Amino acid sequence: MKIDRVTLRQIAMPLVHFFETSFSRTTERHMILVEVQGDGLSGWGEVTAGENPFYNEEWTGSAWPILRDYAIPRVLGREIASAADVYPLTAHIRGHNMARGGLETAIWDLEARQKGIPLWQAIGGGARREIPCGVSIGIQDSIRELLENIEKELSAGYQRIKMKIKPGRDIEAVRQVREHFPAIKLMVDANSAYTLADSDHLRKLDDYYLMMIEQPLDHDDIIDHAQLQARLQTPICLDECIRTAHQAQQAIGMRACGIINIKLGRVGGFAEAKRVHDAAQAAGIPVWCGGMLEAGIGRAHNIALATLPNFVLPGDVSASQRYWKRDIIEPEVETTAHGTIAIRDEPGFGYALDLDYIRSLTLREENIG
Ligand code: OSB
Ligand code: MG
C-alpha cells in the first residue's frame, strides 16, 4: 500500500446540546477529517482532539500542523506493508497521539477497503455482532435536569449511565440518582478534577454501588491513582492516564485501576489500542470504548474497535442523534431498543460519507502530496 496524497479538512459541527465536563463546556465541535488516497481508493480518519488543550495537551489547532509537517510526510510515498506498520513510522513524534491516530485510523480504513473487508475484520475484531452501549451525561444545570436526562436515556434502552462529576457537583447528585434509579449500571467520570487530598471525600462514593470511578486524579498521574485505589472499594477506571500499552501494564501492575477506558485517539490509533486491549485482557482487566464527541467517522471506528473480545463493558459510543442534528455519514449511527449498535459488513468503516454535507461544514482544507 502506498499513500499518494492526504487531504485534511477541518469541519465545525454544533452540538444538539452543550456537553459539560469538569474542565469545560463544549457547544460546537471542530474536528479534522483525514482522507488518505492510495491506489485509487480513499480511507478516512477523524482527529478526536478537543477545541482546547483541556482534556489533554492536544487541540484541533495543534493537530493540523503536526499532521501536515510531521506525521503525513513520514508516510507519504512509502511502501507500507500493513496499516499496523504506521504507528512506528510516526513514533519519532513525542505525544500528539490524537493527531497521529487520525492518520493511522484512516490508513486502516484504506487497507480494509483495498481488501474489500469491513474495518472490524481488518483489525482482528468481530467477537460480537452488536456492541453494548452506555451514555455519558455531562454536568447539568440542575439535578432535576440530570434525572430527566437519565430517564430519557434509559427509556431509549442504553445499558449504563455515566455521569460527569466535579467538586461541588458530586456526592449529592450521585445520591439522588441512586435514590431514583436503585438498580441501574451507574458510574462517574471526574476528568482529573480531584487530588489525593480528596481521598476521604471520594470514599463517600463507595456507598452508591458504582461500577467505577473514571479518572478522578491528574491526567498523567498513575502513581497517585494507585494510592487512591488502595483507599477505595469502587474500582478506578483510567482514561487520560493510559496513552500506551506500556503505561497500561504499569498501571495494572501497581493496581492503579481495575478497568481501562480505551480511546483510539488518546493511544494513537488501532495498533496501540489493540496492544492496550491485549495487555488488559492478559491481566484480567476489562475494557470499554470511550468517546470524544465524535462525528460519524470516529464513531464508526469506535464501533469496529469495540468488537475486540475484551470490550466486555458497555462503552460511551452512542447514537449520532444524541449529539448531531445531522451526521456526516449515511445512515447515521443508531441503537437497537436493547441498547446496542449492530456492526455493518460493508468494506471499510461501514457507512457512506455525506460528502456534500462535509463540504458545507468545511472551514479549511489542505492537500499534502
Ligand atoms: O472523559 O470520556 C471523557 C467527552 C469529551 C472529552 C472527554 C470525555 C468525553 C465523554 C463523552 O465522556 C463520550 C462520548 O463521546 O459520548
Ligand atoms: Mg473520561
Side-chain angles (χ1 to χ4, degrees), residues 92-344:
H92 192 61
I93 303 164
R94 300 286 191 222
H96 298 284
N97 290 350
M98 291 174 158
R100 294 166 56 203
L103 177 64
E104 201 253 20
T105 53
I107 296 173
W108 279 98
D109 182 49
L110 178 63
E111 180 170 270
R113 288 169 197 264
Q114 287 182 349
K115 291 183 174 165
I117 59 172
L119 180 60
W120 55 261
Q121 190 181 337
I123 65 162
R128 53 192 70 81
R129 298 285 311 175
E130 293 180 18
I131 64 156
C133 304
V135 288
S136 174
I137 299 183
I139 295 168
Q140 303 295 306
D141 288 336
S142 68
I143 295 181
R144 184 182 53 79
E145 280 164 283
L146 172 63
L147 295 171
E148 283 169 8
N149 247 290
I150 293 175
E151 184 65 57
K152 187 182 84 199
E153 303 297 6
L154 291 172
S155 16
Y158 285 104
Q159 298 183 11
R160 75 98 168 94
I161 300 291
K162 158 169 144 184
M163 54 185 277
K164 294 285 191 181
I165 57 166
K166 66 176 180 182
R169 307 299 299 273
D170 47 19
I171 314 292
E172 178 56 16
V174 170
R175 191 192 67 75
Q176 290 196 37
V177 169
R178 224 352 144 212
E179 191 174 275
H180 280 79
F181 306 100
I184 61 169
K185 285 186 180 153
L186 180 66
M187 60 174 288
V188 294
D189 185 359
N191 290 107
S192 303
Y194 299 90
T195 71
L196 256 192
D198 299 311
S199 295
D200 288 339
H201 180 70
L202 290 169
R203 208 172 18 226
K204 295 180 191 150
L205 290 170
D206 277 344
D207 291 344
Y208 301 102
Y209 192 56
L210 302 177
M211 294 175 81
M212 66 196 93
I213 301 173
E214 185 177 344
Q215 194 70 37
L217 309 180
D218 243 7
H219 70 103
D220 58 356
D221 195 335
I222 294 172
I223 296 170
D224 273 7
H225 278 100
Q227 295 210 42
L228 179 65
Q229 183 67 92
R231 300 173 197 175
L232 294 181
Q233 272 164 15
T234 311
I236 289 176
C237 170
L238 288 178
D239 173 355
E240 284 88 329
C241 274
I242 306 298
R243 293 153 176 258
T244 63
H246 183 64
Q247 287 173 337
Q249 273 162 337
Q250 290 179 318
I252 293 166
M254 62 198 293
R255 300 180 197 278
C257 63
I259 298 169
I260 293 175
N261 162 346
I262 301 183
K263 289 182 181 168
L264 272 173
R266 199 192 65 224
V267 303
F270 281 110
E272 195 65 9
K274 275 154 51 88
R275 287 188 283 268
V276 174
H277 164 276
D278 294 351
Q281 187 172 35
I285 297 286
V287 303
W288 52 275
C289 183
M292 290 296 293
L293 313 175
E294 286 92 346
I297 297 170
R299 214 160 275 278
H301 285 181
N302 287 341
I303 294 165
L305 180 69
T307 70
L308 291 171
N310 195 32
F311 281 82
V312 290
L313 297 172
D316 274 350
V317 186
S318 57
S320 300
Q321 60 152 24
R322 289 192 61 251
Y323 294 114
W324 317 119
K325 211 162 129 194
R326 176 175 167 190
D327 205 342
I328 59 172
I329 54 167
E330 279 172 351
E332 55 181 45
V333 174
E334 286 174 349
T335 49
T336 64
H338 49 282
T340 66
I341 295 170
I343 62 173
R344 296 164 61 88

Side-chain angles (χ1 to χ4, degrees), residues 43-66:
W44 291 76
E46 182 176 327
V47 176
T48 63
E51 292 65 46
N52 298 291
F54 299 157
Y55 165 80
N56 63 11
E57 77 288 352
E58 294 187 83
W59 76 101
T60 316
S62 68
W64 190 282
I66 288 287

